[in-house]
Amino acid sequence: MKKLLCCAFLFCFSSSIFAQSKEQKQTAEERYQWRIQQSELYGTYIPRDLTDAFLELNRLIPADAKKKFEKASEEAVAKKLHFSLGQWMMVNWGFYEGSRLTAFMNKLGLYHPDDMARFLIISFHRSLNKAPLEVKALIGELVEKRENIKRERLEQGDILEETTRQSAQPQIDSLKQGKDG
């Protein structure tokens, strides 16, 4: 009787855990769908596209800082501002959990928060310098670089365990003997 009660309890408990995790997944997807529709998250305006992001950055960045930003080289700006402006964008514009700006960049082919931040910093720098944005080429470079990073990590990864299996192939002679005998 005790075994039967234990089994019933475990069954009910485990089924509630599975139901709960399924519910959490649905909630996460619903939450994401809600987030990408919002113009504001946690009191911060979320740009809808690249032009809107430029307008918001122009509004947020002080004029003297913009002058320094504009005069620096593109690569220097991308590296130097990644952990300040880039990090601010990733957190406040919802690059990790999703936002309407991330949905826009996903449609362009960018999915990694670091790539999104780098894309916006470089594009904004080009915009300030009245240089061609070359969006497709920049996205292509970022995607290729991300793929190379993934490939290098896989190649440099440690092998945890390596096994060799021998397939059990029946020998032809033993099959013939079985039929004849």
Side-chain angles (χ1 to χ4, degrees):
M1 184 68 176
K2 285 183 182 179
K3 286 184 181 179
L4 183 61
L5 287 173
C6 269
C7 288
F9 173 74
L10 287 175
F11 176 75
C12 290
F13 181 71
S14 63
S15 63
S16 70
I17 289 174
F18 289 120
Q20 194 175 33
S21 64
K22 185 178 178 184
E23 183 180 283
Q24 287 171 344
K25 285 180 186 175
Q26 289 173 340
T27 303
E29 179 60 25
E30 289 171 359
R31 183 147 177 78
Y32 172 78
Q33 290 301 323
W34 176 83
R35 287 177 63 85
I36 65 172
Q37 300 298 319
Q38 304 307 303
S39 62
E40 190 174 286
L41 293 170
Y42 306 109
T44 302
Y45 176 75
I46 307 298
R48 78 181 119 263
D49 56 23
L50 191 57
T51 304
D52 202 20
F54 291 170
L55 291 171
E56 190 64 8
L57 289 170
N58 270 315
R59 186 183 73 76
L60 292 170
I61 300 172
D64 58 328
K66 246 187 292 191
K67 290 249 187 232
K68 290 179 186 177
F69 181 85
E70 185 179 339
K71 289 180 182 180
S73 75
E74 184 175 289
E75 190 57 33
V77 164
K79 282 183 179 180
K80 194 170 188 177
L81 294 180
H82 180 78
F83 291 105
S84 55
L85 177 62
Q87 201 66 32
W88 183 91
M89 288 188 290
M90 285 186 257
V91 172
N92 292 285
W93 286 352
F95 291 5
Y96 292 104
E97 298 89 14
S99 68
R100 68 183 187 167
L101 184 57
T102 62
F104 167 78
M105 288 191 281
N106 289 168
K107 288 177 185 171
L108 295 177
L110 293 173
Y111 299 95
H112 196 282
D114 288 335
D115 297 341
M116 292 178 194
R118 186 173 178 88
F119 170 74
L120 289 174
I121 290 169
I122 290 172
S123 297
F124 185 60
H125 183 267
R126 290 177 181 178
S127 169
L128 289 176
N129 284 290
K130 296 176 180 44
L133 297 182
E134 298 176 352
V135 171
K136 286 184 181 181
L138 178 56
I139 290 171
E141 289 171 24
L142 293 169
V143 168
E144 183 179 342
K145 189 175 181 179
R146 181 66 46 202
E147 289 300 317
N148 288 338
I149 290 169
K150 286 181 188 176
R151 193 176 316 105
E152 286 174 13
R153 284 185 179 165
L154 285 173
E155 290 171 359
Q156 294 174 357
D158 292 333
I159 297 174
L160 299 176
E161 182 180 341
E162 191 170 328
T163 59
T164 305
R165 297 173 114 181
Q166 291 183 344
S167 61
Q169 294 181 351
Q171 295 199 0
I172 295 174
D173 291 339
S174 65
L175 289 175
K176 288 181 183 176
Q177 289 175 358
K179 286 185 177 180
D180 295 339

